Structure formats: structure tokens, C-alpha cells
Amino acid sequence: MATKIIYFTVNGRSEQAEFTEDCPTQDVKDLFRSAAEAGPHDILKMYTPRGNITNISPNLEPNSPTSCYQLEVVAADCNSEPLGVEIAGALGFDLFSMEKRLQGLEKKILLEVGETPAVVYEMKREVDSFRHKLESVEHLSWLGLFKDLSDGTHKPSPFYHKRSLHKTREECEHVQEKFLQMRSLEVSEEVRQYLKTPTFDNWQWEDAEMMVLLQLMFSDLDFNSIFNIEADVLHHFLFEIYRRYNNIPFHNFKHCFCVTQMMFGLIWLTDLRSTMDTIDLLIMLTSAICHDLDHTGYNNAYQINARTELALRYNDISPLENHHCAVAFKILERDECNIFRNVSMDQFKRIREGIIRCILATDMTRHNEILNKFKSIQPCFDFSNKDHTDVLMMILIKVSDISNEARPMEVAEPWLDCLLQEFFNQSDMEKLEGLPVTPFMDRDKVTKPSSQTGFIRFVLLPLFMELKNLFPCLEQHIIHPVQKALDYYTEMETALERENQNQN
């Protein structure tokens, strides 16, 4: 099939596009959108050499460099709808819904046939490829619209480049109003029991509903009565927590909820109420809620290499985790948000030390240090030994923090997509700023299965196995699902390698 070359100008520079006459219309539009550094929010207008507006399609008439088309970008309304909704409207379908349907189809096939056919992997790769294309175009628009990177506090949110990094007042007021309306509702016994399991599906719940469920966790563990936590204070605390999680793909309020819900589930599954002090359970649950407060979507390596304010403030030592702690205690400084305001001075000291210790343990650079310490005390673990329980608390928050793969695949896989969005945006920024590029975040080198197989095999399973050794009951709840996830991504990686070999 013959190709045609279209010469055009955009943003004052000359460009040329080449495509075949049978090229899909959407691909042609994506091509021009990419050249214009425009995102899905933006409207493109193409003018003929005579100045008439024309449709962007494969039917554009070929021209010469002396007779150029003119491409213009018209910014759409940035605040009308969240990015995913606008993309869904523009495309005529919801990418997330399509992925959920595909996962459901795959589950049915597995139950009936016993293995996943190659065609399902092909469909998943096409969805991933389409997502990648959208994100790549999104990234170009993001860089084009936000060239001034001098002030870190005003950097755009990764991926959601048209939304502010921090939640707007309108956003918060809307969720707070819903939370106020729902916080006194009676939660069914079925939901109460479901909340205690690793199979809990966070995608079915809105932010305000998740705050109600966090509130429920406090009451179900008797924290409100034991530590005299007033209902209004807990409400204000949870709302401030919600407000201080940012609009980023992964380290957001939903992630905070998932980590806390897994911690809540582990407390019940392992019957920690009978072996640990209630104050330690309070420390662990609160640490999970606060563990990623005000995360901006860029990890410690980026903070240190970019010499950000956080890295300078904390001397390159766990800058993010130190910041999460500081934000948590800044919230607790406010009397109306201080859920610990009725505990004794000694109790507060223990709580503060415990929360700091737990949140700092989520820095993955300390992973081997903490895991090896746990291994060394494992054979003679003693719940009456504070040093032992301190290490166990760190292990439990680490397990909760990286526990997505212990959940059902239809819950876990969308989280991986969110994580890769955040990773890829960081590596894009590193390339833009001339910083060392984090290898496992590079969109040009990492595939979905390759990002998981090594992580599950060398990080997740060894950690989870050690916890299972202390609590054998966890094997069916967290070990089996993670092993299934490893098989799933290993099979996907093999299929991808086989396809690449066939193409070469």
C-alpha cells in the first residue's frame, strides 16, 4: 500500500507526517496529536493551505513543503471531568470497563478450559498497547503544557496532567458532604466480614464510602472505646487524611485504604488481638492509614537525584517516608483531628515512636535489613518481647504495603496498571531533566509481566513466606494467590517472548 506525506506547521515549526492510505482514522489523529504535543483533553484543528478547516483523516490530500497545512491546538475545558471520563467519552467506551470485562472473560475461560488461550493474551496486549499509546500522547501534552519545572510544589500531577496535584476545595467538599451523610449508616454484617478478607475489592467503593469503612475498622477493633476516640474527631482525622493524599495514579487515597484494609484483615486472620497489645494494633492501623501521605508520585531515588526540597530537608535519608510521618503528626497537632488526644503522655510517646518506626519501614531500601532481622528471631519468636513485636509490626506494614498481588487478579491487575503509569511518568521526567533513569520504570524497557515476575519471585514471596512461617494460617490467604499471580505473569512473559521471536 502506497504511503502519503503530509507537510504541515504546528507551534511555529515545520513537520511532516507519513502514513498509508488505509491507515485507521484514529491512528492518523493520534499521529497529529502527538506532533502537536496535545492530550486527549485538547481539540485539534487542521487548516488547508488555502486557510479552510478540514477533517484530520487518511483522506488528507498530499501536498508539498511550500504548501503546508496548518495544525492548531485548542485547549479543552480542564476542569469538566476527570481524565478517564473524557477519554471514555471521546473514544466511545471506557478502557477500564473493557479491561474488567476482559478479566472476567479470562476467568470464565480458565474455569471451563483450565488454561488461558493465546488469543486472550493477544487481546490483553492490545489493550496494554492502547493504554501505552494514550499515556505516551498524554505525556507529550503534559511536557508541552508545563515546561517550567523550577518550582516542585507546582508540578503537575503525573498522568492526570490537567488536574492539580493536590485536591481542590470543591473536590474535598463534595466528598466530605457525602461522608457526613453516610458516616452514621449501619454497615451490614456481610460487609463487616468481607472487610476482614484479602479478597476485598476496593474498586467497588467510592472515597466517602471507604472513609466509612475506615471508621468501621476503628470501632470493630474497639479502639474508640479503649482509647476514648470521639466520633467527630475520628471523622475530622479521616477527612484530613483523605485530603492529603494526592491526585496520582497509584500512591493515592485508594492505595491508603487498600493497605489499611489488608492490615485490618491480617489482624483478624492471625488473631493478633489475643497476642499483641491493643495499642500496637492501633499503631499499625494508623501507620497504614498515614504511610503515604502527600506522596507526589516520584520515589526516593528521584527526590535524591533531583535534590528536591524533601531530599535536602531529610539529608537523603528516606525523604518520602520522613515526610509522610511529618504530615501525619501535623494533622494530629490539630485538636479537632487528634484521635490520640485522650491518651496518656506515655501512651502517646509509644504511639508516636511506633508510627514513625512503621512508616519508615516502608522504605524499600531497608527491605533486606528488616527481613533478615525478622528471619533471625523467627525460630524463637516471643510475643512478650517488645523487640520481637516491633519487628513483626514492621513486617506486617511492609506486607500490607505491597499486598496487591495477594488479592484476586481482577482487583490486583488494575493496580499494576496504575503503578506502571506512575513509574513511566517518573522515568519520563528523569529523561526530561537529565537525571539517572530508574531502570524498572523505563517505559521503553519494561513490560507488564517483566515488571512483576522478578518482584514477586525475589521480593514478595520471600517476605510473605517468612510471615507465613509465623502464621501458617496465612498460606491459603496470601501465599497461594501470590503464587498464582507469579504463574500468570510468567506465562504472559513467555507468550510475549515467543511472539517477539516469531516477529524477528
Side-chain angles (χ1 to χ4, degrees):
M1 178 65 66
T3 62
K4 60 171 67 175
I5 297 177
I6 302 296
Y7 297 93
F8 63 99
T9 60
V10 58
N11 297 330
R13 66 179 189 277
S14 299
E15 299 277 5
Q16 66 183 62
E18 184 174 359
F19 50 85
T20 59
E21 292 179 351
D22 66 344
C23 184
T25 300
Q26 189 57 52
D27 285 357
V28 174
K29 288 182 176 178
D30 283 344
L31 184 64
F32 284 102
R33 195 174 291 279
S34 177
E37 297 186 351
H41 292 272
D42 300 325
I43 300 167
L44 297 185
K45 287 188 178 180
M46 179 75 86
Y47 295 90
T48 67
R50 293 182 178 180
N52 299 320
I53 194 164
T54 186
N55 191 31
I56 299 174
S57 75
N59 299 323
L60 284 169
E61 291 293 329
N63 59 337
S64 68
T66 58
S67 180
C68 289
Y69 288 90
Q70 183 179 345
L71 182 65
E72 289 186 1
V73 182
V74 181
D77 180 5
C78 299
N79 301 311
S80 56
E81 292 286 349
L83 179 63
V85 177
E86 290 194 5
I87 292 179
L91 299 175
F93 63 87
D94 181 354
L95 187 62
F96 179 73
S97 298
M98 187 171 80
E99 287 178 310
K100 294 283 280 185
R101 286 172 61 194
L102 185 57
Q103 287 162 9
L105 176 64
E106 181 182 9
K107 200 172 181 181
K108 281 186 181 177
I109 293 172
L110 274 171
L111 288 173
E112 294 175 13
V113 182
E115 62 178 358
T116 305
V119 66
V120 174
Y121 287 117
E122 171 130 10
M123 290 168 68
K124 289 171 76 67
R125 281 195 297 276
E126 286 179 6
V127 171
D128 285 340
S129 172
F130 185 52
R131 180 185 288 282
H132 174 79
K133 185 187 295 184
L134 282 174
E135 289 169 12
S136 298
V137 174
E138 190 71 13
H139 163 64
L140 289 171
S141 177
W142 170 40
L143 297 184
L145 289 169
F146 297 92
K147 293 291 189 184
D148 182 10
L149 304 173
S150 56
D151 186 352
T153 59
H154 293 99
K155 278 183 184 174
S157 167
F159 188 66
Y160 300 101
H161 75 275
K162 294 286 182 90
R163 298 176 69 184
S164 61
L165 178 64
H166 303 301
K167 292 183 173 74
T168 64
R169 178 186 298 177
E170 293 77 14
E171 213 176 335
C172 292
E173 286 176 351
H174 174 69
V175 172
Q176 186 179 34
E177 186 178 343
K178 291 186 76 171
F179 182 30
L180 282 167
Q181 292 169 353
M182 294 171 14
R183 65 176 179 158
S184 58
L185 292 177
E186 188 66 30
V187 178
S188 70
E189 184 59 27
E190 184 184 10
V191 171
R192 282 175 181 265
Q193 295 307 317
Y194 182 36
L195 192 61
K196 297 174 182 177
T197 68
T199 57
F200 191 90
D201 184 356
N202 69 279
W203 301 112
Q204 307 300 322
W205 303 82
E206 296 179 9
D207 288 345
E209 293 171 327
M210 286 189 284
M211 279 192 271
V212 171
L213 294 178
L214 289 173
Q215 188 176 259
L216 178 66
M217 294 178 201
F218 274 77
S219 61
D220 274 8
L221 288 169
D222 297 325
F223 293 161
N224 297 346
S225 56
I226 294 171
F227 300 101
N228 193 16
I229 301 173
E230 300 107 322
D232 281 348
V233 176
L234 181 58
H235 165 259
H236 285 299
F237 171 73
L238 292 175
F239 174 70
E240 277 305 303
I241 292 294
Y242 160 78
R243 194 176 70 82
R244 295 304 300 268
Y245 275 92
N246 293 323
N247 291 324
I248 54 180
F250 185 86
H251 292 96
N252 50 39
F253 179 69
K254 282 183 172 61
H255 169 68
C256 147
F257 173 81
C258 283
V259 174
T260 309
Q261 186 272 322
M262 184 60 75
M263 177 67 82
F264 182 70
L266 290 173
I267 288 171
W268 286 102
L269 289 170
T270 58
D271 193 23
L272 288 180
R273 298 181 77 195
S274 66
T275 55
M276 292 182 70
D277 292 343
T278 307
I279 196 167
D280 286 335
L281 305 185
L282 175 65
I283 287 168
M284 289 193 294
L285 200 77
T286 310
S287 298
I289 289 173
C290 300
H291 85 284
D292 271 330
L293 278 167
D294 198 34
H295 200 299
T296 57
Y298 302 94
N299 73 1
N300 280 333
Y302 174 87
Q303 305 291 336
I304 293 166
N305 289 330
R307 300 175 188 172
T308 64
E309 181 188 342
L310 288 185
L312 294 173
R313 183 186 304 159
Y314 296 111
N315 301 313
D316 295 351
I317 301 169
S318 301
L320 281 175
E321 291 73 24
N322 274 298
H323 179 59
H324 305 323
C325 289
V327 174
F329 284 101
K330 193 72 178 171
I331 291 171
L332 290 165
E333 267 187 4
R334 294 170 52 185
D335 199 50
E336 70 272 21
C337 300
N338 186 4
I339 56 174
F340 307 130
R341 69 183 187 179
N342 294 321
V343 303
S344 68
M345 190 69 75
D346 286 343
Q347 283 178 317
F348 181 75
K349 183 180 178 184
R350 179 172 170 181
I351 289 169
R352 177 170 162 79
E353 287 173 350
I355 289 175
I356 292 171
R357 183 173 57 253
C358 284
I359 293 180
L360 291 183
T362 61
D363 183 350
M364 287 303 293
T365 62
R366 297 186 57 206
H367 178 79
N368 289 332
E369 166 211 333
I370 296 169
L371 183 57
N372 289 336
K373 196 169 184 179
F374 187 57
K375 281 181 182 178
S376 70
I377 62 174
Q378 177 80 257
C380 55
F381 192 89
D382 180 2
F383 279 99
S384 64
N385 184 323
K386 185 178 183 303
D387 290 338
H388 287 198
T389 54
D390 283 351
V391 177
L392 175 60
M393 290 165 70
M394 291 193 287
I395 289 291
L396 284 165
I397 194 167
K398 283 175 61 57
V399 167
S400 300
D401 190 22
I402 56 175
S403 63
N404 283 331
E405 294 305 336
R407 299 182 185 276
M409 189 56 69
E410 62 269 22
V411 180
E413 194 165 10
W415 273 117
L416 176 57
D417 294 328
C418 293
L419 183 62
L420 290 176
Q421 287 170 16
E422 206 168 283
F423 280 0
F424 292 160
N425 276 293
Q426 174 171 319
S427 66
D428 291 339
M429 182 62 84
E430 287 168 337
K431 292 172 186 176
L432 179 71
E433 296 182 338
L435 300 172
V437 179
T438 307
F440 63 86
M441 295 185 177
D442 193 338
R443 70 169 76 239
D444 298 321
K445 296 177 181 177
V446 174
T447 64
K448 189 170 177 175
S450 72
S451 72
Q452 284 304 91
T453 50
F455 181 71
I456 293 174
R457 192 174 285 119
F458 301 114
V459 178
L460 222 56
L461 271 176
L463 175 66
F464 283 28
M465 289 296 286
E466 286 303 320
L467 187 61
K468 185 269 301 181
N469 290 340
L470 185 61
F471 302 108
C473 63
L474 291 180
E475 179 145 11
Q476 61 171 319
H477 295 291
I478 65 173
I479 301 298
H480 290 171
V482 170
Q483 288 171 331
K484 284 178 67 176
L486 178 58
D487 293 341
Y488 173 76
Y489 286 113
T490 301
E491 196 177 335
M492 187 190 295
E493 189 172 30
T494 303
L496 191 60
E497 288 171 356
R498 193 182 304 123
E499 181 184 331
N500 291 336
Q501 286 172 358
N502 292 338
Q503 287 177 349
N504 295 334

